[in-house]
């Protein structure tokens, strides 16, 4: 047999059944090599998947997927599942346009039951599926939820457990993949409790040290271990109290032990928790040794070193992180909150300097916001940094716990707009719609690094309600200078030529929100070339809409707004509403993201798909201006209605 022959023979879980214990072990090795080779070429969730190789093999040996649904919480650790369910050959296209999704995807396989990449939801899906199987008389089917110790810090997981454990005769198998990490080490009392289950491995270490004559080391290990678990309830007590049968802890890299535990769980007639202990990045030293996040996810890397192939450019996150540290030195009322993402959101730098003013609350965006509200009630100014898409989780907390109380909490929304390769559930295209609904909120969408730092200062001076800054993923662009500034907006460009007057020459106002200034310039260029007069402005706030901007709209014949948020309730619509309320009838046209779930692809590809690329924008504004001129020439009266970009063309 060649070294890859086992893996090549696996195109469905059935192919696993005839393999011997040794073959299964070898298969695990092949899968690891395969993952390292493929993911280093495309980027993706490497560490998380290397940790679940044996677990996924055992799950597919014991359960009968897809008849028995296996739901992976968050879904970033489903690569091995994809390999075992016939999608191995697609890994060269991972996270690329029309290629393999980085998360479960129902269009890809009947073995995938969910799609969202938002954490802590698997147990609720499993609860619902188990109820459905019970109600429809499918007693032979079993439901499995695989959840990380990180995702278990999310409240939804406990809401579901509360129901799952209460249904004594409704079988659900909850597999806890406990590697002690979210990105960074998992925080909180729960994580400590789970860690206490590492008693067995710790004992082994102690015994090994004793056997090899290292008695002093053995005694020290024993003491430190006892110290750590003192006063901590073991996880079996916790889960048993919730009504679940507890099995574990199981060595999550021992296929035979996993199979035993999972087989017992499958035959058990009620809810079961199988607690497995795994190592994130297992078998790949660059991941195992990566202190920051054990290569939770990675860009393109050299597989032999684990190092990035290209240097990482200075990002929006860097600009924010550095400025917040500067502010932290001057203002001791500023505190920072992360929902388990201190590294990716840049808050780790603040935490290094101000550990007492930094809080990692776990994957718990809802709690993060209301805890921030509490900090604000106590006289502090919290900064909560989350990815834009994860704010969705905490809308009610923003609206009712912060907004209603007019509390000064600043939200920093990283990865807003189209993010691309992580697909529909990672695009930050909803936040303007959500935040814009909150009375009294201030929202800024800075166009470059300098404006990001200015916006952060402005937000931190808002004392009577929430404030928000949104910015994009990746490299921060060169600063885009203003021609002049007013108190409501920066002017980025103004046509200098007087031009001809007449019904067919328009004064067009392009309002550019955030980083899409290149598209606004392209629009301006196209319109100027066609003989129209154009002004491009960048508002300091998306909302509240400044009255100076509304006045400017009143002087224009046509307004075009440019943003990378969904058009529904986005910046364009907010401006349009303010304009309408001021009785101004200038037509407003929106360039934004179509209101739909966007497939994965590069950021550029996805933007082009929704008409936010230069060529489409030039074409679109020409069309809009053309119909406005035609309307004027034919004596059309009344305000033209607002209209969004037509993506079906
Ligand atoms: C609601 C939500 N917030 C944040 C994230 C970002 N995120 C993705 S995976 C992850 C850590 C997950 O840790 P764990 O569940 O233990 O899985 P592991 O990768 O360690 O196996 C986080 C914070 C998310 N996917 N969803």
């Amino acid at each position: 047999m060649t070294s890859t022959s086992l893996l090549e023979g696996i195109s469905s879980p059935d192919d696993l059944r005839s393999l011997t214990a040794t073959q299964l072990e070898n298969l695990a090795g092949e899968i690891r090599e395969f993952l390292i080779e493929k993911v280093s070429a495309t980027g993706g969730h490497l560490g998380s998947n290397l940790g679940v190789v044996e677990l996924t093999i055992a799950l597919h040996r014991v359960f009968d997927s897809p008849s028995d649904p296996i739901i992976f919480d968050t879904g970033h650790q489903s690569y091995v599942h994809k390999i075992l369910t016939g999608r191995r050959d697609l890994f060269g296209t991972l996270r690329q346009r029309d290629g393999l999704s980085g998360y479960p995807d129902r269009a890809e396989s009947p073995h995938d039951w969910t799609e969202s990449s938002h954490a802590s939801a698997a147990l609720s899906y499993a609860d619902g599926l188990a109820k459905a199987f019970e109600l429809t008389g499918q007693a032979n089917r079993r439901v499995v939820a695989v959840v990380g110790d990180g995702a278990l810090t999310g409240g939804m997981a406990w809401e579901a457990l509360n129901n799952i454990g209460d249904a004594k005769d409704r079988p659900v198998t909850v597999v806890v993949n406990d590697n002690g990490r979210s990105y960074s080490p998992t925080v909180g009392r729960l994580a400590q409790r789970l860690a206490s289950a590492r008693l067995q491995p710790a004992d082994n270490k102690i015994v090994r040290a004793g056997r090899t004559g290292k008695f002093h080391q053995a005694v020290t290990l024993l003491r430190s271990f006892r110290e750590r678990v003192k006063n901590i309830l073991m996880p079996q007590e916790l889960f048993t109290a919730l009504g679940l049968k507890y099995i574990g802890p199981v060595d999550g890299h021992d296929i035979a032990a996993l199979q035993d535990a999972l087989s017992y769980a499958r035959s058990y007639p009620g809810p079961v928790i199988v607690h497995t202990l795994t190592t994130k990045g297992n078998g790949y030293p660059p991941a195992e040794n990566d202190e920051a996040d054990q290569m939770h996810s990675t860009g393109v890397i050299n597989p032999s070193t684990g190092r990035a192939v290209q240097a990482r450019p200075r990002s929006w996150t860097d600009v924010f992180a550095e400025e917040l540290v500067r502010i932290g030195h001057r203002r001791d009322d500023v505190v920072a909150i992360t929902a388990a993402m201190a590294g990716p959101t840049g808050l780790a730098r603040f935490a290094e300097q101000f550990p007492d003013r930094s809080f990692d609350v776990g994957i718990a965006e809802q709690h993060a916001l209301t805890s921030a509200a509490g900090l604000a009630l106590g006289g502090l100014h919290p900064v909560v940094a989350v990815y834009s898409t994860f704010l969705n989780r905490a809308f009610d907390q923003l609206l009712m716990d912060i907004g209603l109380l007019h509390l000064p909490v600043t939200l920093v929304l990283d990865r807003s707009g189209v993010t691309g390769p992580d697909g529909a559930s990672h695009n930050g295209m909803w936040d303007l719609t959500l935040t814009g609904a909150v009375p009294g909120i201030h929202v800024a969408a800075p166009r470059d690094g300098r404006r990001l730092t200015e916006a952060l200062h402005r937000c931190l001076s808002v004392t009577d309600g929430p404030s928000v800054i949104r910015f994009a993923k990746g490299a921060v662009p060169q600063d885009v200078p203003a021609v002049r500034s007013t108190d409501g907006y920066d002017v980025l460009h103004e046509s200098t030529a007087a031009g001809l007057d007449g019904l067919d020459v328009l004064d067009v106002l392009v309002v550019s929100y955030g980083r899409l200034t290149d598209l606004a310039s392209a629009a301006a260029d196209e319109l100027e070339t066609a003989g129209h007069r154009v002004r491009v402005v960048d508002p300091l706030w998306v909302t509240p809409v400044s009255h100076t901007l509304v006045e400017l709209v009143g002087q224009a014949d046509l307004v075009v707004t440019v943003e990378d948020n969904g058009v529904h309730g986005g910046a364009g619509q907010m401006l349009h509403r303010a304009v309408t309320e001021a009785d101004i009838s200038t037509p407003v046209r929106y360039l934004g993201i179509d209101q739909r779930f966007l497939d994965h692809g590069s950021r550029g590809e996805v933007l082009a798909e929704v008409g936010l690329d230069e060529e489409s924008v030039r074409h679109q504004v020409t069309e809009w201006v053309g119909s406005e001129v035609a309307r004027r020439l034919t004596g059309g009266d009344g305000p033209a209605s607002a209209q969004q970009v037509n993506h079906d063309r």
Side-chain angles (χ1 to χ4, degrees), residues 193-506:
R193 254 184 210 204
L194 289 177
S196 68
R198 294 185 185 261
L199 173 65
Q200 197 56 43
D203 267 355
N204 289 344
K205 231 173 164 183
I206 293 161
V207 170
R208 253 198 322 273
R211 257 201 233 120
T212 52
K214 296 177 184 160
F215 298 111
H216 178 69
Q217 192 186 339
V219 170
T220 316
L221 276 169
L222 195 58
R223 277 211 193 108
S224 85
F225 179 72
R226 285 210 182 120
E227 195 51 39
R228 269 186 287 134
V229 300
K230 188 170 70 179
N231 302 329
I232 298 176
L233 279 178
M234 300 298 277
Q236 48 266 51
E237 294 171 46
L238 171 69
F239 291 113
T240 306
L242 279 169
L244 288 102
K245 173 89 184 160
Y246 176 90
I247 304 173
V250 184
D251 178 347
H253 300 298
D254 179 338
I255 298 176
L258 285 165
Q259 281 182 193
D260 284 350
L262 293 171
S263 301
Y264 180 83
R266 196 185 186 288
S267 63
Y268 192 75
V272 184
I273 197 141
V274 179
H275 183 187
T276 70
L277 303 180
T278 62
T279 303
K280 206 159 175 169
N282 191 48
Y284 184 47
E288 285 190 41
N289 299 331
D290 175 22
E291 273 183 34
D293 65 8
Q294 293 188 310
M295 295 179 96
H296 172 91
S297 70
T298 173
V300 176
I301 53 169
N302 175 340
S304 40
T305 61
R307 293 216 187 92
V309 167
Q310 278 184 338
R312 192 177 67 77
R314 184 170 153 78
S315 66
W316 292 88
T317 313
D318 293 327
V319 176
F320 156 65
E322 288 159 17
E323 193 60 21
L324 191 66
V325 169
R326 274 193 281 275
I327 291 170
H329 283 293
R330 289 202 294 273
R331 280 183 57 172
D332 56 14
D333 64 322
V334 171
V335 294
I337 301 179
T338 175
M341 302 191 67
T345 58
L347 285 188
R349 285 182 239 184
F350 188 86
E352 273 166 29
Q353 303 276 326
F354 311 105
D356 297 344
R357 288 196 267 146
S358 299
F359 304 97
D360 180 349
V361 297
I363 309 179
E365 288 80 7
Q366 300 180 333
H367 163 56
L369 264 71
T370 305
S371 172
L375 283 156
L377 282 171
L380 300 172
H381 193 126
V383 174
V384 186
V386 292
Y387 283 9
S388 160
T389 185
F390 301 135
L391 174 69
N392 301 353
R393 275 283 163 88
F395 174 66
D396 185 54
Q397 285 72 12
L398 171 62
L399 183 67
M400 295 303 175
D401 301 342
I402 297 175
L404 179 64
L405 276 61
H406 307 287
L407 292 172
V409 173
T410 296
L411 300 183
V412 174
L413 304 181
D414 201 324
R415 273 67 161 179
S416 72
V418 167
T419 53
D422 284 310
S425 61
H426 258 64
N427 286 319
M429 55 177 277
W430 322 97
D431 62 78
L432 289 181
T433 310
L434 295 177
T435 56
V438 178
I441 202 166
H442 282 74
V443 181
R447 66 179 180 273
D448 57 27
R450 176 170 157 198
R451 275 76 201 177
L452 166 52
T453 60
E454 290 171 0
L456 186 56
H457 285 269
R458 284 204 309 278
C459 283
L460 284 166
S461 64
V462 174
T463 54
D464 58 354
S467 53
V468 179
I469 306 179
R470 74 186 311 255
F471 53 80
K473 180 183 178 180
V476 66
Q478 291 262 313
D479 285 347
V480 181
V483 177
R484 63 189 171 84
S485 300
T486 73
D487 59 353
Y489 54 85
D490 284 352
V491 178
L492 305 185
H493 174 83
E494 272 172 319
S495 298
T496 43
L500 295 170
D501 270 332
L503 287 176
D504 57 347
V505 176
L506 301 186

Side-chain angles (χ1 to χ4, degrees), residues 45 47-49 51-52 73-77 103 116-121 146-154 156 177-184 186 278 280 293-294 296-297 339-341 344 362-365 386-387 389-391 393 425-426:
H45 287 94
S48 307
N49 281 287
V52 295
D73 196 287
T74 313
H76 62 300
Q77 75 292 53
Y103 294 92
S116 162
S117 63
H118 289 208
S120 316
V146 181
V147 60
D149 55 303
L152 267 189
T153 58
M156 262 187 95
N177 168 34
D178 177 7
N179 53 27
R181 324 259 318 185
S182 281
Y183 277 66
S184 45
T186 306
T278 62
K280 206 159 175 169
D293 65 8
Q294 293 188 310
H296 172 91
S297 70
M341 302 191 67
I363 309 179
E365 288 80 7
V386 292
Y387 283 9
T389 185
F390 301 135
L391 174 69
R393 275 283 163 88
S425 61
H426 258 64

